[in-house]
Amino acid sequence: MVKSNQSNEHQLRQWMGYTDVLASSFLILMLVTVVSSLNNAANQKPPLIKLTEAQSFRFDTGSYKLSPEFKNRLSKVTTNMVNDIVKYRIDTIEVIGHTDGQPSPGISNLDIKLLNEFENSGEIINGLQTGSNVDLGLLRALSVAAFLREKLKHKDVIMPSILAYSASSLINLSGQYQPADPSPQSQRRRIEIRFTRNQDLK
């Protein structure tokens, strides 16, 4: 009887040892899974927002002014952007203006007027003349950037840097270099908003 009890105790100790190993392994697996999930969530790519004419984000031909309808729709986008800024800890927003390949004839006065007046007022001014699609793409991006800056400063969010760029007609919908032909192409006339995070996560 003593031997039987000793044998049972020995088996019980062995079983408890196995369960301890299994429990420890399970806890380690759970910890690795949680850490991995948190790391993936922290390093997810934020969305790329495309504002297209098909969505009524439309500029008049040759114009960089935001129409009332454009502003109304952009206000809704701005509300959703606040969530992304917080979620992805965004510190920089890039606004990129695209055009189609229709020639934009004229003589640009941006070098003369834009630098001084925009830096002083922080707003897009009247009377700017574009001499190319590059100019037009930049002014459209600046108009959207100024609107976003005004809207976001009234939100409960740390204000990111908002930078404006022009891709004009040189970049296609896939992001590849491909100058457009001179025919009207509404799908190429768009604004892209990219979120980036330049600061390392703590």
Side-chain angles (χ1 to χ4, degrees), residues 77-195:
V77 172
T78 307
T79 300
N80 294 331
M81 284 173 56
V82 172
N83 295 329
D84 290 329
I85 291 170
V86 173
K87 177 180 178 180
Y88 298 102
R89 297 175 63 179
I90 298 303
D91 56 28
T92 305
I93 297 175
E94 298 175 345
V95 181
I96 306 162
H98 295 259
T99 68
D100 62 15
Q102 293 184 90
S104 180
I107 299 175
S108 174
N109 66 358
L110 301 193
D111 289 343
I112 298 171
K113 297 191 75 173
L114 184 61
L115 179 62
N116 293 332
E117 297 195 38
F118 182 74
E119 283 189 348
N120 291 335
S121 68
E123 297 179 358
I124 301 300
I125 57 176
N126 294 318
L128 294 175
Q129 298 172 353
T130 61
S132 68
N133 279 318
V134 174
D135 292 347
L136 185 58
L138 177 60
L139 287 180
R140 288 177 173 179
L142 284 169
S143 293
V144 171
F147 183 87
L148 293 179
R149 194 174 290 111
E150 181 64 25
K151 285 291 182 181
L152 288 175
K153 77 179 184 181
H154 299 295
K155 304 289 185 181
D156 185 20
V157 66
I158 297 174
M159 176 65 77
S161 298
I162 303 179
L163 309 175
Y165 300 99
S166 173
S168 64
S169 58
L170 302 178
I171 306 298
N172 66 17
L173 294 172
S174 300
Q176 305 298 315
Y177 173 76
Q178 182 188 355
D181 64 53
S183 62
Q185 295 179 315
S186 61
Q187 72 273 17
R188 295 191 70 155
R189 298 193 293 268
R190 66 195 188 279
I191 294 288
E192 291 182 357
I193 300 174
R194 298 176 183 267
F195 299 99

Side-chain angles (χ1 to χ4, degrees), residues 21-72:
V21 170
L22 289 173
S24 298
S25 299
F26 179 73
L27 287 174
I28 291 171
L29 179 61
M30 288 295 295
L31 182 61
V32 169
T33 302
V34 169
V35 170
S36 177
S37 298
L38 291 174
N39 187 52
N40 288 338
N43 292 294
Q44 280 181 326
K45 280 191 173 183
L48 166 66
I49 300 174
K50 291 185 180 181
L51 311 180
T52 66
E53 289 198 353
Q55 300 167 308
S56 298
F57 293 100
R58 184 184 306 275
F59 292 94
D60 290 339
T61 300
S63 173
Y64 54 88
K65 298 296 182 181
L66 305 184
S67 67
E69 184 178 15
F70 196 125
K71 289 180 179 179
N72 182 49

